[in-house]
Amino acid sequence: MVIENVSFDVLEGEVFAILGRSGCGKSTLFKAMTGLLAIRNGEVVIEDEVVASAGKAFSEEALKRIGILFQSGALFSSMTVAENVAFPLRQRTTLSEPIIEQVVTLKLAEVGLAGKERFLPAELSGGMQKRAALARAMSLDPRILFFDEPSSGLDPITSAELDRTICTINQTLGTTIVIVTHELASIFAVADRVVLLDAGEKTIIAEGSPAELRDLSQDERVRDFFHRVPAGDEGRAAGDRGAL
Amino acid sequence: MKRFKEMFRFRWRTRAPRGEATSAAEQRALVAPTIREGADFSITAEAKTFDEVRISISGKIFMENAQLVLPALLSVMEAHPLENTVIDLAGVEYLDSSGAAVLMEAHRRASRLNNVLRLSNVPSAIRTFLGMVDFEQFKDLGILEPREEPGVMVQIGDGALELSRDARDMVTFIGATVVALLQDFSRPRKIRWDRLWKLLAQSGFDAVPIVTLLSFLMGAILAFQSAIQFRKFGANIFVADLVSVAICLEMGPLLTSLIVAGRSGAAYAAHIGTMQVNEEVDALRALAIDPIRFLVSPRLIACAIALPCLTVFADLVGVLGGCVVATFSLDLTPQAFFNQVHKVLEVSDIAKGLIKSVVFGVEIAVIGCMKGFQVRGGAESVGHATTSAVVTGIFVLTVTDAIFAILYYYLAVL
């Protein structure tokens, strides 16, 4: 998928959301921002350093600055929750095992999973798996945390709990958070600023706080998105279709 | 002019309606796709003007009677080609998906007859229901017709392209694997030894029972088949020659590698494929961990170690199988059998077999892992990758074995 003219700044310490309907290029943008997809044109800049551009992939150092919560959680199914969280620490640091164990305990407590250390991912609920994956993403204390559809597959209550966790992490640790989603409820609960991608043009059509876009935008596509009425479908109820 | 006054009536009736007139609640539920028994319908057609015919439908159109409504509508339209057809639905009490499908099909047929079909007096609930479908968009689509199979030339072209893609992927993958192995060997402390031991156990130790059984049987079969021929010439003792050389040089390594390809090659493809689907491979990349080094290297090393070990075991058991048959059916003593094996079998024969088995082990791991990394999509793709890993593995192993046979032959001549 090609997305064009997409340019935005995420400020340090804010919760930033990328919104859009299905097929608008959110996932492509997410992969490009996190180094999972090669960029043909353009660049990703983190703290004034170009970390990815055409022909340049994320370096190991650049990847250390970010943590990712995947849509499915992507926990390693053969490892316990504690091993999953310890995995980046064992692979990427020279910390001793006792220290790693303490970090794991701390991270699991931060996401409300204390006591679940020895569980396998398959033994956890969907919400718990997301939390465990979040603990793993946070294990190296990244400066920026990326969330891909964090509410996906969760019931509204669990989703709201995850939103609260995101807010807590942002406020207590000061981690910058970038969320890719189409869940308006989550956005209004956590996001400071958002950009809206258009499915047709595959580009950004609005930027601002969620409330600004909902209440003040004059763009019909933005209003449609925030009021949940797909553009061009108003005439559907009239029933006049084709020759009938 | 007679035609303009023509009026006919088509009526079809099922059992008499059970209930009274439709209640308000039932009216609201008219669009629910529920089959209702005991309903009926009637169709009345009237030529209104010189170019318009009006068909009035009343009653209920649903799954059980829809098949009868369509011919009725078509008979009217075919009797009045090139005219406007108006279907008046004022009297329709209930219309389910089949009823809507009848109207869609009538619309499509009307287009073919150059009629213009229009609905009128559509009850509001039905109007909402029909509004979900864009009749114009779907009128010409044969969505249930089987997809057209590509021609032979297209299939050959697709096959060639897939083959070239596979070849390119394999070269890229092998290159990345070699780099990963060099990194591992340059820093052995970074090798995941715990994982390596587990993989060794899975690929090697766990395969011992099946390797034992099949190797023993293979040795026995070779002894039986050769005994029939050798007995004719009173050369029973040469059974030991044939069994030992065939097993150690050819059958032991090949049979063992085929078993490992079926067990471990398929398991590697399925495991890595599932990780790919679950975004676990992406998670590794996001943690700046090279998936090739993390997932392929230990499997490759495990296979390259496990296969020669299993081959030595298969050689022993295979020769033993031959010995058992020779002892019980050829009147040879085990001591005579093994003396002959000792005489004829050279260390180089065993070494040749082991060299082959190392190469086979590397091939099995590379193919299994590569097929796993090629997984895109969901469960079906994982299944395809697993099957492909086994089939490709068997093919590559057999070709490699043939290459080794030729190579060893010319090396012996030289």
Side-chain angles (χ1 to χ4, degrees), chain B residues 272-396:
Chain B
I272 295 175
T274 309
M275 288 184 75
Q276 187 91 322
V277 171
N278 291 341
E279 297 179 303
E280 291 175 44
V281 175
D282 279 344
L284 286 173
R285 289 197 180 100
L287 292 166
I289 294 165
D290 179 10
I292 303 281
R293 194 171 169 194
F294 188 79
L295 296 171
V296 181
S297 289
R299 283 170 171 77
L300 197 148
I301 296 169
C303 250
I305 295 171
L307 215 70
C309 296
L310 282 173
T311 301
V312 169
F313 189 72
D315 289 351
L316 288 172
V317 175
V319 173
L320 190 67
C323 177
V324 169
V325 170
T327 306
F328 287 104
S329 66
L330 296 173
D331 300 329
L332 285 175
T333 62
Q335 191 181 4
F337 185 91
F338 281 111
N339 280 340
Q340 185 66 17
V341 169
H342 182 66
K343 255 193 254 175
V344 74
L345 196 63
E346 295 176 8
V347 175
S348 65
D349 293 331
I350 299 170
K352 283 174 186 173
L354 293 183
I355 290 168
K356 274 203 295 192
S357 68
V358 174
V359 176
F360 290 164
V362 171
E363 285 178 344
I364 291 165
V366 168
I367 291 166
C369 294
M370 190 187 76
K371 293 293 175 186
F373 277 108
Q374 284 177 343
V375 165
R376 298 284 180 276
E380 191 182 345
S381 184
V382 176
H384 179 74
T386 310
T387 309
S388 182
V390 177
V391 174
T392 312
I394 291 170
F395 173 74
V396 170

Side-chain angles (χ1 to χ4, degrees), chain A residues 36 60 63 68 70-72 74-77 79 87-88 91-92 136 148 236-239 241-244, chain B residues 107 116-119 127 131-136 190 275 278-280 282-289 294:
Chain A
L36 297 172
E60 202 167 311
L63 283 169
I68 303 174
F70 289 90
Q71 192 172 351
S72 62
L75 289 169
F76 302 120
S77 53
M79 299 181 190
F87 181 74
Q91 294 292 322
R92 302 271 301 277
R136 186 182 67 186
D148 185 15
R236 184 167 290 225
R241 289 277 178 184
L244 293 174
Chain B
H107 181 248
V116 175
L117 188 70
R118 192 162 55 81
L119 300 184
R127 188 190 303 155
M132 295 167 71
V133 181
D134 184 342
F135 280 47
E136 281 300 321
K190 284 280 183 182
M275 288 184 75
N278 291 341
E279 297 179 303
E280 291 175 44
D282 279 344
L284 286 173
R285 289 197 180 100
L287 292 166
I289 294 165
F294 188 79

Side-chain angles (χ1 to χ4, degrees), chain B residues 126-189:
Chain B
I126 295 175
R127 188 190 303 155
T128 309
F129 179 39
L130 292 178
M132 295 167 71
V133 181
D134 184 342
F135 280 47
E136 281 300 321
Q137 187 184 349
F138 290 103
K139 70 179 181 183
D140 290 327
L141 284 181
I143 55 171
L144 292 180
E145 288 171 11
R147 285 175 63 168
E148 198 177 328
E149 287 293 322
V152 177
M153 293 308 289
V154 175
Q155 287 186 32
I156 292 171
D158 283 347
L161 282 174
E162 196 176 329
L163 210 63
S164 68
R165 271 196 299 268
D166 271 0
R168 190 191 60 199
D169 286 353
M170 187 169 253
V171 170
T172 311
F173 190 80
I174 289 171
T177 306
V178 169
V179 171
L181 279 175
L182 290 175
Q183 286 174 338
D184 272 345
F185 290 136
S186 64
R187 285 194 291 180
R189 285 178 64 188

Side-chain angles (χ1 to χ4, degrees), chain A residues 44-84:
Chain A
V44 180
V45 181
I46 297 179
E47 292 168 334
D48 296 330
E49 184 194 338
V50 178
V51 294
S53 59
K56 181 186 177 187
F58 269 63
S59 66
E60 202 167 311
E61 282 307 308
L63 283 169
K64 269 185 181 175
R65 294 188 222 169
I66 67 171
I68 303 174
L69 177 66
F70 289 90
Q71 192 172 351
S72 62
L75 289 169
F76 302 120
S77 53
S78 57
M79 299 181 190
T80 64
V81 168
E83 285 170 341
N84 262 286

